[in-house]
Amino acid sequence: MFEITKYADRLLSDLDTVNYLPKIKKQQEEWIGRSEGAEVDFELHFVKDPSANENRGPNGEKARITTFTTRIDTLFGATYLVLAPEHLWVTLATDDQHDLLENKEEVKAYVESVKVRPEIERTAEGKEKTGVELKGVKAINPATGEQIPVFIADYVLPQYGTGAIFGDAHDVRDVAFAKKYNVPLKEVLIPTVYDHRNPPQEGKENTFRKTVLVIVRDPETNKYLCLKWKKQPWTTFITGGVEEGEDAIEASRREVEEETGYSDLRLIRPLGGMIESQFFAAHKNVNRRVHSQTVFFELVSRTQKERTQEEQEQYDLLWLTEEEVVAAKLQHGDFETFWPRVITGDDVFTGEGVLIDSGEYTGMKSEDARSVMTERYGRLVVKYKLRDWVFSRQRYWGEPIPLIHCEKDGWVAVPDAELPVRLPEVEKYEPTDNGESPLSTIDSFVNTKCPECGGAAKRETDTMPNWAGSSWYFLRYIDPKNDQAFASKEALKYWTPVDLYNGGMEHTVLHLLYSRFWNKFLFDRGHVPTSEPYARRHSHGLIMSEDGTKMSKSKGNVVNPDDIVNEFGADTFRVNILFIGPFEEAAPWTTNGVIGVRRFLDKTVRLVEKIAEVEDPAVTKMLHKTIVKITEDIENFRFNTAVAQLMIFVNTVQERGAITKESLGTFLKVLAPFAPHVANELWEKIGGEGFAEIQPWPVADTSILVEDEMQIAVQVNGKIRATITMPVGATDEEIVAKARAEENVAKYVTIEPKKVIVVKGKLVSFVV
RNA sequence: GGGCGAGUGGUGGAAUUGGUAUACACGCAUGCCUUAGGAGCAUGUGCGAAAGCAUGAGAGUUCGAGUCUCUCCUCGCCCACCA
């Protein structure tokens, strides 16, 4: 096991010092998965065996379970505790020494059932949550002092946090579990809405009301009951205050009957918890803070009592469809919060809001509550998703781990002089049936002498994973023949860090992380000069199969490059891959373009027939333009447009009919990285020395590229009406005058324009 | 469920900071040269008769939007009961 978690902080913070693609950085960050949270202790209370309550720790503390949470602000709503089935406390409580549980056998059976299930199944999404209550023991909520039940459930993972959580009403998983096992839930957090259209005003009285907001749906028409106000320009749902001694459901029924006359309603359910809104109530001239409960009903019968005169004067009833409700922009500041609950039925609130029912913290914002409650009830801790690295493998294929086990001296490292430990020659290297390494059956390998005492000892037979070599092979490549060290200090200093590491996205998480860790370890021990192994990390897209799916041998939809190489040549294949699309994006393989690339290379080969003493200045100019473009494109991984530019150059030469030998040579140097065979073939033909690709990279003469004319687009009210050509030195006035003189422009600009915009060298825009 | 990315001609795709959308290539059409053509060369090719209209849909900002903002749709990749 490698303690990579000890490097978690550095692996995260050092990302600031390297140039990785943002998405690669993000993946590293997420894999390391730092989260700040709190550990909270829950004391246990033993019901079955009260004597256990007297067992105190060395400092007089009671038995307790430590939970991890990032939302300590919901602590007052912790109505149960859940431990991972593998939690140490559970293991102890179910062993033969203890008799604390009323349902020990049931618990043991559940723990067993979880063990035999593969992890893939356990973590599958949408899986029904399972668990068992630990009967005979209660936990004490440190905030409320209440006794709460304790469960074990497989949705709590043993390796994350402390392997124990408290369950509350503000986590979808907890709510799903609590509903299934009939654990009561308690809302302690509500969303808060600040009405920006009618914000609370300075100096007005602040008032508080509990209200209901009632949504009534007619199941036959799927329409919702709304009120269209007569004296105000708005439409609302039915709302009203909750009176003394009334609950939200009763208040809702009363309001609906009063305001609309409907009374035959079927309750669907209250939608989520309350919502706090703050606004200025103009009609009462007070600031309002409202806790509103949304309640959802279905209309059973359309029988309607007559509404009072007063009600009829205030508003008309209106039935609106879902689309119409959204379009009507109802006069509710919290519409965005409660309406999704109607539509999706998803009403567990997990966001940031205001605490309710939380003792002295009631009314506090959740963010603020977290820091003060952590101080009072818990300890601030940082957790990582990153786990330690299980490094040993039970197979033949891998570097042997150079350790020897001696009965007397324990684990002893193989002395440096005997390194490396080599794999023995074997006929069979398949895994054994008993799960042990295949090496364990080879006595000549296993049996050895203890380097300490010289007595009989056994070698470690596990081997290293493939990641071992891939984490640092590039360091050896620097100085492969060195027999004193894996590479000399000088060579390391010269070559590292690696300037650019390009690879597929499949290696951006594990391999990148492992090799960074490995390098940091070597750095700490003084073996490499830099803490980070790679200065820059880029990635390429995948070439997909023609049907757009990933190529795989098992699917048989692979394209064999050899076929293309045989038919069209290696250069064609190479250039085509670059030309197919942006380097970073996945693209389906297609042979459609191959012929085009082949034609381009054929034309390129024929360029030698066009060698002449003089060439058209257009060719010279295009050559230098090409050098600039290719140089930039390579720098930015835009190989597809680089290839396009190569084609443009060849087309230009063909069009103009002649090229000097010197220009062709220059072109071959920029062609060489893309089509090395063709480039070198021609390079030799024109008498070039050595290889084209090792010549100094050409430098463009930018003075040739300066234009003496400019093309200027002329817009009138944003529409292109003409293009004019002007000498580069032309003033704005000259350009505008020429533009206005254009027939097609004059047609639209008949009066003096309101505004004229001139963009240097690009366009003129008239606004009329 | 979360994260990231992408939607532009018949097709793959260009368009550096908001400034002439469709570069380059495939395909297609017509012609030339050919005994022949999966060769070569030339010309044309977003839609529309035209005014005009077009970058997944809809809104917004702007003199001007493929590019910026918001809402939504579709597809791809990665991660996923991480408290």
Side-chain angles (χ1 to χ4, degrees), chain A residues 53 78 81 124 160 173 281 312 328 382 441 519 606 636 668 740:
Chain A
N53 288 316
L81 224 55
Y160 187 76
R173 296 153 307 182
Q312 286 188 27
V382 175
T441 60
N519 196 82
R606 273 185 256 122
N636 297 309
L668 294 178
R740 284 203 66 173

Side-chain angles (χ1 to χ4, degrees), chain A residues 73-266:
Chain A
D73 46 309
T74 64
L75 184 61
F76 280 81
T79 50
Y80 64 104
L81 224 55
V82 193
L83 314 187
E86 298 87 344
H87 195 280
L88 180 63
W89 195 89
V90 180
T91 312
L92 293 175
T94 52
D95 70 12
D96 295 339
Q97 322 285 314
H98 296 89
D99 189 24
L100 302 165
L101 303 178
E102 288 161 17
N103 56 343
K104 188 166 162 183
E105 290 312 313
E106 188 191 1
V107 171
K108 276 168 87 168
Y110 180 74
V111 171
E112 280 309 310
S113 77
V114 171
K115 263 189 210 160
V116 299
R117 224 172 317 153
E119 185 158 5
I120 301 152
E121 193 183 312
R122 174 167 175 177
T123 56
E125 191 204 350
K127 192 194 69 117
E128 175 111 347
K129 294 195 169 23
T130 63
V132 175
E133 184 175 354
L134 302 180
K135 292 193 177 130
V137 56
K138 296 279 180 193
I140 294 160
N141 181 323
T144 64
E146 281 165 14
Q147 289 192 9
I148 59 175
V150 182
F151 289 82
I152 58 172
D154 63 355
Y155 81 94
V156 174
L157 306 174
Q159 68 276 5
Y160 187 76
T162 58
I165 61 159
F166 63 78
D168 59 65
H170 302 289
D171 181 288
V172 284
R173 296 153 307 182
D174 292 348
V175 171
F177 183 81
K179 281 188 176 155
K180 180 168 172 188
Y181 291 95
N182 288 320
V183 188
L185 288 168
K186 179 181 157 196
E187 299 259 347
V188 289
L189 179 65
I190 62 175
T192 170
V193 175
Y194 186 87
D195 191 338
H196 290 277
R197 286 182 296 188
N198 306 295
Q201 296 186 1
E202 290 277 334
K204 300 290 182 187
E205 191 194 345
N206 292 310
T207 60
F208 175 75
R209 249 162 60 104
K210 271 197 163 184
T211 63
V212 285
L213 185 140
V214 194
I215 294 180
V216 179
R217 183 174 63 190
D218 183 342
E220 283 183 32
T221 59
N222 259 327
K223 288 186 175 182
Y224 298 88
L225 182 55
C226 299
L227 307 178
K228 185 162 174 50
W229 292 68
K230 290 185 173 169
K231 287 174 198 156
Q232 275 86 8
W234 61 48
T235 303
T236 66
F237 286 119
I238 299 147
T239 58
V242 178
E243 288 173 6
E244 203 58 40
E246 208 181 29
D247 71 18
I249 312 291
E250 292 161 358
S252 302
R253 290 187 180 278
R254 175 178 53 71
E255 289 290 345
V256 174
E257 189 166 343
E258 280 175 16
E259 298 190 2
T260 71
Y262 291 109
S263 59
D264 196 359
L265 303 172
R266 186 173 71 80

